[in-house]
Amino acid sequence: MDTQMTPLAVLQWLQHMGADEVTTTTPRNWFETTEAPTLQTPVQAKSPAPRANVQTPKQSQPTAHTPTTAPVLGADESIALAENTIQGIENMADLQTAIQNFTGCPSLQNTAKHTLVYTGAENPDILCIGDAPNIVDEQNGTLLNGAEQVLLHRMLNAIGISPEQMAYTNRTFWFPPGGRSLSASETQICLPFVKKIIALAKPKHILLLGTDTARAVLNVTEPIGQLNGKTHTITIDSLEFKATPTFSLPTILTTPARKKNVWQALTKIKL
């Protein structure tokens, strides 16, 4: 049987498998060399010119976290404490301080090194909300690093949104022990703070990344496969916001086939 593939077929197969970026200009036989490759600096996609009065991206001040010694509260008490904490807060700096001083989520706070709240424009065109800080964020003391940052910027650039026009936060502000999934109670404890971030940032649109984030913010139960690309209206502090769910950044990175679904969601965003 003839198993030869045409050059076009090979390229199509590579693209289907997610190999859609060039890292070197010449082929290398990895079976004949142990020399580590020297990767070339990737060519950055040209971003659209920022609009007038667009604010420069701003990373909330990385804050070393001190484990809490406060009495452990039940989930309902912690949620009530979070809701009480946000009362009267009128700017992101004060909210950052309030979250740093919050003692109601020790299952995350007692092991995390940093409290990571928000990065990006103060009043963004689009606010992206993910799951939790990852291990790279925890090590760097900043949000949105490495491959996830590159991916998100490329996604938004594809619909004409530059990094200067966006902001990013998560549904919790502390790296979970071992990178585990968040519990339902941890999500609910942090939710009042997430909603306050939305109310203060006043984004033109919200992009919800992942099933659990979409479910929490929208208060729904459907999986992301059903929610993907369906724009919802949510009301916070008497203000209405448009929110569109799609797959999480880690899922997109590990499952390139999801890029088609994500593109379908991105095209629904209307600023």
Side-chain angles (χ1 to χ4, degrees):
M1 179 182 295
D2 183 9
T3 59
Q4 291 290 334
M5 298 175 67
T6 66
L8 177 59
V10 172
L11 287 174
Q12 291 173 334
W13 179 81
L14 287 171
Q15 185 178 39
H16 178 73
M17 297 302 292
D20 54 6
E21 296 181 29
V22 176
T23 56
T24 62
T25 58
T26 57
R28 182 185 296 268
N29 188 340
W30 296 106
F31 294 99
E32 296 181 354
T33 179
T34 58
E35 179 186 355
T38 300
L39 300 183
Q40 296 187 352
T41 303
V43 177
Q44 297 294 324
K46 186 176 293 184
S47 299
R51 287 180 279 178
N53 299 323
V54 171
Q55 299 182 15
T56 303
K58 182 179 180 182
Q59 182 83 230
S60 58
Q61 190 66 27
T63 309
H65 183 75
T66 302
T68 178
T69 57
V72 177
L73 303 176
D76 290 342
E77 294 174 302
S78 293
I79 294 170
L81 177 61
E83 291 173 342
N84 183 66
T85 298
I86 64 175
Q87 299 305 312
I89 292 179
E90 298 181 354
N91 60 70
M92 204 68 73
D94 287 347
L95 182 59
Q96 161 84 17
T97 300
I99 295 173
Q100 170 67 19
N101 294 332
F102 182 67
T103 58
C105 199
S107 58
L108 298 176
Q109 294 170 308
N110 284 351
T111 56
K113 297 178 181 178
H114 302 282
T115 300
L116 303 173
V117 177
Y118 184 93
T119 183
E122 291 183 9
N123 298 114
D125 284 347
I126 186 164
L127 172 63
C128 304
I129 305 178
D131 281 329
N134 60 31
I135 185 62
V136 181
D137 300 336
E138 174 76 338
Q139 292 170 343
N140 290 352
T142 58
L143 279 177
L144 197 61
N145 295 276
E148 291 189 4
Q149 181 193 60
V150 172
L151 173 62
L152 184 58
H153 286 178
R154 286 179 175 174
M155 286 166 52
L156 298 181
N157 185 60
I159 56 172
I161 299 174
S162 71
E164 291 79 16
Q165 296 167 269
M166 64 154 286
Y168 182 88
T169 188
N170 286 303
R171 61 187 168 99
T172 190
F173 316 105
W174 303 280
F175 175 64
R180 64 165 172 78
S181 298
L182 299 175
S183 69
S185 61
E186 289 166 346
T187 295
Q188 291 303 311
I189 290 167
C190 295
L191 190 57
F193 295 120
V194 175
K195 290 183 175 180
K196 192 65 176 181
I197 288 173
I198 295 172
L200 292 174
K202 296 181 175 61
K204 294 179 181 178
H205 206 100
I206 302 167
L207 184 63
L208 302 171
L209 299 164
T211 294
D212 293 329
T213 296
R215 285 174 169 174
V217 175
L218 300 177
N219 192 27
V220 296
T221 58
E222 292 89 345
I224 196 62
Q226 296 179 24
L227 293 170
N228 183 68
K230 296 181 180 179
T231 297
H232 295 67
T233 300
I234 59 176
T235 302
I236 302 172
D237 291 352
S238 301
L239 300 173
E240 289 190 347
F241 300 94
K242 299 293 184 182
T244 302
T246 194
F247 292 86
S248 68
L249 297 178
T251 296
I252 302 168
L253 286 169
T254 57
T255 314
R258 290 299 185 192
K259 290 180 180 180
K260 178 179 179 180
N261 306 98
V262 174
W263 175 246
Q264 292 171 344
L266 292 175
T267 58
K268 302 294 179 62
I269 296 176
K270 307 297 181 184
L271 300 180

